[in-house]
Structure formats: C-alpha cells, structure tokens
C-alpha cells in the first residue's frame, strides 16, 4: 500500500528535504536579486562610480568589471545550487520514494 | 544632435524590446547582392536538419514524443537547447549592435537577460519537472479547476508566442533580405515552411535537435570571432578597450552607463521584466519536460546559464571588436553618410545590428561572413520552431484536449490537432510577418517578456508555492497581470509615441516597461481574490495542495521518460 501524501509529509526525511531545498533556494535567490538590483541601482544612481577607471591610466572601468562579475556570479550561484542539490536532494528523494512504496 | 537622438532612441527601443533588429525591423533595409556562400551554407544546414526531422518523424508517434521528445533528452543536451532558444538572432545581433553603438549599455541588457536563469534553477526547474507533463499549464492547473486555468494559461502562452513570433518573422525577413539578397516575402515564407516541416513531422525531437545544432554553430562562430578580435590585441581586453575609446565618437563614455536607463523606476521595472519574463516564457518552460527527471532539469539550467553567460561575454567582445575593426573600415560604411560627416559608428551599412555580421567579414573573409549569415538565418528558424510548438501545444493540449474534450481526447486526435494548429500558426505568422514588414515591431519582444513576467510567471509560481491559492484567485490575478501588461505597453512611450506616432510626452505611462506595476497587480490580485474566495471549489483547491506538494518535492507520481 503506497503512502498517502499526509504520511509522506510527516516523514522526517521529507521535512529535511523541503527545509534544505527551501533555505538553499531562497537564500541563493535573494543573493542573486541583491546582486542584480544592486547593479541596476548603481546604473540608475551612481554612474560616476561605474565610470571610474580600475587603475590610473587604464580605460577599463569599474562598471565593466562589475557587469562581468554579475554574469559570472549568476553561473557560480547556479553551480553552487546544483552541486549542493546533487549531493543531498537526490539521495533523500530516493529514500523517501523507497519508504513510501 | 537630432540624428544622434534618433539613433539613440531607436537603439533604446530596440534594445528594450529587443532582441532587436531596430534598423532591420524598421524596414529601412536595402536589398543586397545575392550572397552565394551564405545561401550554400544555409542550404547545407537545411539539408542536415531535414535529415534529422526525417529521423525524428519515425520516432514521433505518441503525444509524449511529440510534445516532449518522450523525456529522453539529457541535461546537457537540454542545456544547449535552452541556450539555443534564448540566443536568438536578435540577441546576438541586437546586443552586439548595442555594444557597438554605446558600449557599456549593452552589458546592462546582457546581465538582465541572464539573471533570470539562476532564479529559474533555484525556484522553478525541479517542481516544474515533477509536476508537469507537456505544458506549463499542466503545472499551473494541477490542483485547480481545469478549464479556467487552462484558458488563462493558453491566453498567456498564445499572446506571448504571437508577439515574439511576429518580431522574429519581421526580423527574419529584413535580415535575410540584407544578408542573402533574397526578397523579404520569400525569406518570411521560407522561414514559415521550414518551421512547419520541423514541428509537424519531427515534433519536439526535431525542434530540440535543430536548436542544439544551431546553438553549437552559433557558439563556435561567436567564439572564433571573439578569439580573432582579441588576438589582434595580444589577448589584452584593456588594449581592445583603449583602441575602441580612441576611435568611437563618444570616447570614454562607452565605458560607463549612458542614456539607456533614464529613471530608477524605469530601471527597476525593466529589470523585473527581463528577469522574471524568462521564467514565464512558454517555449522555454516546455523544455523542462523533455528531460527524464528533476535532477536532469536542474543540470540543464546550469549548463544553459553557463552557455548563455559565455555567449553574452562574447557578444560584448564582438561589439567592441566591431567598433575597432568595422567602424574604421570604409568597406563597411555607407559612403553617402560618411560624406555627410557622420562618424563610422553611425555610418555603418544596414544599421548597427549589422556590426557582428560585418565583423565576421573583417576577421574571417567572405566565407566566414557567409557562415555567420547562415547561422543567423538558422537561428531564426530554430527559435520560431520552438515558439510555434509551444503555441500549438497550448491549443491542442490545453484548449482542445482539456477544455473542449474534458481530458478525454484520443491521443492521436490530440496530435492531429497540434499539427493542424502548427500549420495554421505558421501561415498566420507568415501573413503577419508580411503585413508588419514596414512597421517597427521591436517593442513586441519587450511586450512578450512583460506578459510572461506578469501573467504566466505569477500564476505558475504561486500555484507551486502557496497553499492558499484558489482557481478564482489565479484566474483574476492572471488576467489582471495580462491586461495591465498589455495596456501598459500600448500606452508606453515606445509604442504610443515612437510606433503610433503620437506627440512626445503624450503617452499615459512614462515608463519603458510596465512590469513593476503589472506584476504587482498579478501577485496582489491572486492573493486578494484567493483570500476572499469562500466557494466550494476553493476548499478543493486548498485541499489539493498536500498531494501536489509531495509530488513537486519528490517526483512521486511524476511522468517519467518513456521508453524509446
């Protein structure tokens, strides 16, 4: 007899999975939102800062580096999520599925 | 001054809506000499993809194969296909063209289009895969009364797809006219016929592989261009930037934000549309059902984010490369404009969206120019195929099978309806493409993103996350988002003033993108009308959350990969 939704929800492993996914997913989402909207607000409010050269005599500006850093951060954050999720979610999910059969 | 203003506002409009082919889209293109290299290489691409379609057609028998390739695509392949859907000709030519025109501002768009992906990974990809079968409406309507939510989702899908499709078709016609020297109408018809063949015969299997091949070609071509540009500067970006600053009429201003973002409110609203529109595009959401499980779904967005981020960095280098190598080379400039004293940047033949194409000629000669032109055409065909499949699925799976037949449709009938819908959508797209030839349709992609962010995304997210949502709340909130996004765009400066020609400053909403408000309407609408909903149906909706939640988290009961 397969477990009901209620029974699965009461499984401590299910609670662990949900809590883990929720905290990681939302934490990383908030980080991404802060990074991105931080960048957008800098564009809106502090153009001179973005136009500052990274070093005396160079034409590369702080803005270019920040923009590229936002792109890289999107990839890195996604990577962090995937590696953490691969390490823990799938094992937990498999156990829950087994226990619910 | 006024010329600069015109160029700037065109770029702005283009970019904002953009994946933009501003000049191409505004119909200002002249037909070029027939480009045989490009036509030969595009012909080769067509033969290859038709071969794949033939192979795919033989294995596309069931509805699952037609809609989702039977769930048999791997995470890596799907990552490439998603990236392919996203790297449209417009984003390739539009962003590099924007960088060419104003440097740093191009980066603002690249960033906006990329940052939606992590959010999709963190919050949407896994539950979406666990709950869905063929369309995102499967997920949005999971525990609700089927008909109203399916109708809402189908409206959201079809409106998004229609605007996106028109923009792509018009862009295709103008671009092909420019690149291949083919007549506008022929180009649009070729695109329409190819997409109908891929989708009706090969379904999602063919659509996915066409997209994967094109993504590889585009990434390879763009990588080669960026490599050649950097190799001329000893692989020092600083040296490239220094030379660009020297030759660009705006000098150092190209290294910092320019006129693109005018007010903080506009910036915020545009940012929201770019970020969350991604998470509501039906043809992208559909791709998550082509992989086996939540793990593969998660991986595919990781790969997609990597490819797209890398691609945007390349377009940035390509844009700067074009400033240095194209704007200084009389071969690529319009002599009449140069004679009038225009800078190389303003005088580029065919407008700033040609920057990447001309750069291909500058670094790789005629053969490589032909290759990049062929890839640009292939890109459009691949993207419109994905869009059409998503639109056809909304008609056959959501409207026909679920609403009309009450979920009891015969599978073969459903596939037949889908194929008929594909043919009709293809014909309509060709006709609209021809009708809108002379119109500036650049705003339409922006509109598609706004609607995706204001209707599809809120309903999808809330249905998965919030126990309290009810059918009534979803339908009212979803339509509020849809309608307010539509109204907001029509009465925005880009459409009201720039496209419809009413005087400057007369637009009702002086904001480039309505997402900040329309998304708020959608979320508040869903929340409020769900809270107020005391109907019998509301009790069933809320009671259904537990079963849905368990499945969304664990995949128990999810539709798996079908055997091949």
């Amino acid at each position: 007899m397969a477990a009901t939704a209620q029974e699965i929800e009461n499984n401590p492993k299910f609670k662990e999975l949900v809590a883990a996914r929720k905290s990681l997913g939302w934490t990383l989402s908030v980080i991404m939102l802060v990074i991105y909207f931080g960048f957008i607000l800098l564009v809106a409010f502090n153009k001179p800062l973005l136009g500052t050269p990274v070093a005396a005599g160079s034409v590369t500006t702080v803005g270019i580096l920040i923009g590229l850093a936002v792109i890289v951060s999107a990839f890195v954050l996604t990577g962090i999520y995937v590696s953490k999720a691969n390490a823990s979610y799938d094992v937990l999910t498999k156990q829950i599925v087994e226990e619910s059969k | 001054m006024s010329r600069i203003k015109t160029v700037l506002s065109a770029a702005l409009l283009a970019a904002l809506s953009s994946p933009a082919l501003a000049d191409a889209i505004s119909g200002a293109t002249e037909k070029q000499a027939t480009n045989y290299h490009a036509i030969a290489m595009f012909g080769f691409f067509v033969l290859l993809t038709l071969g794949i379609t033939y192979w795919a057609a033989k294995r596309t028998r069931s509805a699952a194969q037609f809609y989702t390739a039977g769930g048999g695509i791997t995470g890596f392949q799907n990552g490439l296909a998603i990236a392919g859907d996203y790297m449209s000709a417009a984003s390739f030519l539009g962003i590099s063209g924007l960088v060419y025109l104003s440097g740093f501002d191009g980066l603002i768009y690249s960033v906006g289009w990329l940052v939606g992906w992590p959010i999709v990974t963190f919050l949407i990809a896994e539950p979406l895969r666990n709950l869905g079968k063929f369309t995102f409406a499967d997920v949005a309507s999971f525990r609700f009364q089927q008909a109203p939510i399916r109708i809402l989702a189908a409206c959201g899908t079809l409106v998004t797809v229609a605007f996106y499709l028109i923009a792509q078709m018009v862009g295709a016609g103008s671009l092909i006219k420019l690149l291949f020297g083919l007549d506008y109408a022929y180009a649009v018809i070729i695109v329409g016929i190819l997409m109908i063949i891929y989708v009706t015969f090969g379904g999602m299997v063919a659509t996915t592989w066409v997209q994967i091949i094109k993504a590889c070609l585009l990434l390879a071509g763009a990588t080669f261009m960026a490599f050649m540009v950097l190799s001329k500067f000893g692989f020092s970006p600083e040296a490239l930037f220094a030379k660009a600053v020297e030759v660009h009429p705006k000098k150092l201003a190209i290294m910092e934000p320019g006129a693109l973002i005018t007010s903080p409110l506009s910036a915020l609203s545009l940012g929201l549309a770019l970020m969350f529109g991604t998470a509501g595009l039906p043809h992208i959401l559909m791709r998550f059902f082509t992989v086996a499980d939540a793990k593969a779904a998660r991986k595919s967005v990781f790969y997609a984010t990597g490819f797209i981020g890398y691609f945007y960095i390349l377009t940035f280098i390509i844009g700067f490369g074009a400033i240095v190598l194209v704007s200084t080379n009389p071969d690529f400039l319009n002599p009449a404009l140069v004679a009038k004293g225009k800078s190389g940047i303003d005088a580029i033949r065919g407008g700033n969206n040609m920057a990447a194409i001309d750069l291909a000629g500058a670094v790789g000669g005629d053969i490589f120019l032909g290759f990049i032109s062929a890839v640009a055409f292939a890109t459009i065909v691949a993207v419109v195929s994905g869009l059409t499949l998503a639109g056809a699925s909304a008609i056959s799976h959501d409207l026909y099978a679920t609403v009309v037949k009450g979920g009891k449709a015969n599978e073969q009938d459903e596939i037949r309806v889908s194929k008929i819908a594909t043919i009709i959508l293809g014909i309509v797209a060709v006709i609209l493409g021809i009708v809108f030839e002379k119109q500036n349709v650049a705003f339409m992609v922006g509109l598609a993103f706004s609607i995706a962010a204001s209707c599809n995304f809120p309903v999808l997210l809330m249905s998965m996350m919030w126990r309290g949502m009810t059918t009534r709340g979803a339908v009212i909130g979803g339509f509020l988002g849809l309608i307010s996004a539509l109204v907001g765009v029509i009465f925005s400066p880009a459409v009201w003033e720039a496209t419809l020609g009413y005087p400057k400053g007369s637009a009702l909403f002086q904001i480039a993108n309505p997402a900040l408000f329309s998304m708020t309407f959608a979320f508040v609408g869903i929340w409020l009308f769900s809270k107020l909903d005391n109907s019998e149906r509301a009790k069933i909706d809320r009671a259904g959350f537990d079963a849905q939640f368990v499945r969304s988290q664990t995949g128990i009961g999810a539709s798996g990969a079908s055997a091949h």
Side-chain angles (χ1 to χ4, degrees):
Chain A
M1 182 62 198
T4 63
Q6 206 67 57
E7 285 161 6
I8 297 175
E9 280 185 305
N10 288 329
N11 183 337
K13 283 180 183 150
F14 182 81
K15 288 184 175 150
E16 191 186 334
L17 175 69
V18 171
R21 191 175 263 155
K22 209 174 184 175
S23 71
L24 182 64
W26 284 104
T27 307
L28 292 175
S29 296
V30 169
I31 294 175
M32 188 74 251
L33 286 168
V34 167
I35 292 176
Y36 174 53
F37 285 101
F39 173 69
I40 289 291
L41 291 177
L42 274 182
V43 169
F45 287 113
N46 200 344
K47 289 183 189 178
L49 171 72
L50 294 177
T52 315
V54 282
S58 83
V59 295
T60 309
T61 55
V62 173
I64 302 256
L65 288 192
I66 291 180
L68 292 177
V70 178
I71 292 183
V72 173
S73 76
F75 181 63
V76 170
L77 288 177
T78 313
I80 292 172
Y81 179 84
V82 171
S83 69
K84 292 210 170 192
N86 283 349
S88 67
Y89 296 1
D90 299 325
V91 180
L92 272 174
T93 306
K94 212 169 170 188
Q95 288 171 352
I96 297 165
V97 172
E98 285 301 319
E99 287 170 22
S100 309
K101 270 184 182 160
Chain B
M1 236 356 247
S2 76
R3 160 77 188 171
I4 294 175
K5 265 193 181 150
T6 321
V7 171
L8 258 181
S9 60
L12 228 163
L13 181 72
L16 146 178
S17 351
S18 165
L21 295 164
D23 287 0
I25 277 176
S26 62
T29 55
E30 73 259 46
K31 202 172 136 183
Q32 301 288 307
T34 311
N35 181 338
Y36 292 103
H37 292 307
I39 292 178
M41 274 182 269
F42 181 70
F44 180 72
F45 171 83
V46 169
L47 283 180
L48 178 69
T49 49
L50 286 180
I52 287 173
T53 308
Y54 177 74
W55 165 80
K58 288 198 294 192
R59 31 169 61 205
T60 301
R61 296 271 176 267
S62 68
Q65 282 155 347
F66 182 79
Y67 291 123
T68 62
I73 305 291
T74 67
F76 182 76
Q77 291 162 351
N78 193 39
L80 267 174
I82 292 175
D85 267 332
Y86 218 59
M87 300 183 295
S88 57
S91 70
F92 174 50
L93 303 179
I95 292 181
S96 51
L98 189 60
V99 173
Y100 176 77
L101 203 63
S102 39
F104 184 89
D105 282 353
L107 197 57
I108 300 175
Y109 277 92
S110 316
V111 166
W113 268 309
L114 185 68
V115 292
W117 289 105
I119 304 291
V120 171
T121 322
F122 306 152
L123 301 179
I124 290 185
E126 295 170 47
L128 186 75
R129 176 61 193 87
N130 281 336
L131 289 172
K133 200 173 160 200
F134 300 152
T135 64
F136 89 89
D138 289 334
V139 181
S141 69
F142 194 85
R143 65 193 153 107
F144 303 103
Q145 198 182 339
Q146 290 292 310
I149 306 271
R150 295 271 179 181
I151 292 171
L152 169 71
C155 287
T157 300
L158 289 171
V159 176
T160 310
V161 166
F163 287 118
Y164 216 120
L165 206 52
I166 295 174
Q168 295 287 333
M169 282 306 228
V170 175
S174 314
L175 188 69
I176 300 326
K177 188 165 83 173
L178 205 64
L179 297 183
F180 285 44
L182 277 177
D183 270 341
Y184 178 94
Y186 287 140
V188 170
I189 292 170
I190 291 174
V191 172
I193 291 174
L194 282 175
M195 110 192 161
I196 289 174
I197 294 175
Y198 294 147
V199 177
T200 49
F201 291 106
M204 185 54 112
V205 180
T207 309
T208 302
W209 281 102
V210 168
Q211 200 58 272
I212 291 174
I213 291 171
K214 161 244 145 159
C216 293
L217 291 174
L218 185 55
L219 284 169
T223 302
F224 175 75
M225 280 162 79
F227 178 86
M228 291 303 285
V229 166
L230 286 175
S231 73
K232 292 190 195 304
F233 293 90
F235 295 96
S236 155
E238 168 71 21
L240 168 66
F241 293 150
K243 183 74 186 168
V245 166
E246 190 192 317
V247 302
H248 199 291
K250 291 183 192 158
K251 301 294 172 194
L252 264 173
I254 60 171
M255 303 304 289
E256 60 181 50
L260 197 61
I261 301 287
T262 44
S263 77
L265 207 61
S266 261
L268 200 64
S269 197
L270 179 67
L272 283 171
L274 296 181
M275 191 171 201
F276 295 110
T278 304
L281 292 176
H283 63 300
I284 303 260
L285 292 173
M286 213 176 156
R287 292 225 167 271
F288 288 98
F289 308 125
T290 65
V291 294
D293 52 23
K295 184 178 184 180
R298 180 198 302 149
K299 275 192 197 161
S300 54
V301 219
F302 173 61
Y303 290 122
T305 311
F307 288 129
I308 298 168
Y310 171 68
F311 177 72
Y312 284 153
I313 292 174
L314 294 181
T315 56
F316 195 63
I317 298 170
I318 289 170
F320 271 93
I323 294 175
V324 175
L325 300 172
V326 173
S327 80
T328 54
N329 185 339
D331 288 350
F332 300 116
L333 306 179
N334 182 338
L337 288 177
V338 176
K340 279 191 202 154
K342 298 286 178 202
S343 71
I345 297 290
D346 287 337
I348 182 171
R349 271 187 324 206
N352 63 305
N353 290 307
M354 288 296 288
I357 303 281
D358 285 339
L359 182 67
V363 300
D366 276 351
I367 305 265
F368 188 64
L369 177 82
F371 173 77
I372 287 292
S373 305
V375 169
F377 198 175
T379 293
I380 292 174
V381 176
V383 170
V384 295
S385 302
L387 284 165
T388 307
L389 180 59
S393 308
I395 293 173
S396 61
H397 184 62
D398 297 330
L399 292 181
Y400 170 77
T402 314
V403 177
V404 178
K405 291 282 172 182
K408 296 187 189 69
N410 170 306
E411 188 170 316
Q412 291 307 317
D413 284 345
E414 188 180 328
I415 297 177
R416 196 171 315 120
V417 171
S418 201
K419 291 183 175 180
I420 296 169
T422 303
I423 296 170
I424 295 173
L425 279 175
I427 294 171
V428 170
V430 168
I431 294 172
L432 289 178
I434 292 171
V435 167
F436 281 90
E437 177 182 357
K438 305 282 181 212
Q439 304 295 313
N440 189 329
V441 294
F443 69 90
M444 286 189 178
V445 175
L447 182 57
F449 266 77
S450 306
I451 290 170
S454 315
C455 173
N456 307 353
F457 171 71
V459 173
L460 184 63
L461 187 76
M462 296 289 265
S463 75
M464 294 193 299
M465 304 271 168
W466 186 41
R467 179 185 298 269
M469 180 162 115
T470 70
T471 304
R472 189 186 298 168
V475 171
I476 298 178
F479 275 113
L480 273 177
L482 178 70
I483 293 164
S484 56
L486 261 175
V487 170
V489 171
I490 292 171
F491 293 100
S492 72
V495 177
W496 193 254
E497 295 164 16
T499 308
L500 299 176
Y502 290 98
K504 220 171 159 37
S506 68
L508 203 53
F509 309 115
Q510 288 295 330
I511 184 165
N513 197 295
L516 179 61
F517 301 99
S518 52
M519 281 179 76
T520 309
F521 284 141
F523 278 108
V524 171
I526 292 172
W527 174 80
L528 183 69
F529 290 98
S530 297
K531 280 281 177 199
L532 293 176
D533 189 356
N534 288 319
S535 65
E536 283 304 308
R537 180 66 227 184
K539 294 193 184 104
I540 305 172
D541 293 340
R542 293 185 191 114
F545 186 76
D546 287 307
Q548 176 196 307
F549 188 60
V550 167
R551 177 161 152 183
S552 77
Q553 294 290 327
T554 62
I556 294 173
S559 48
S562 69
H564 279 282

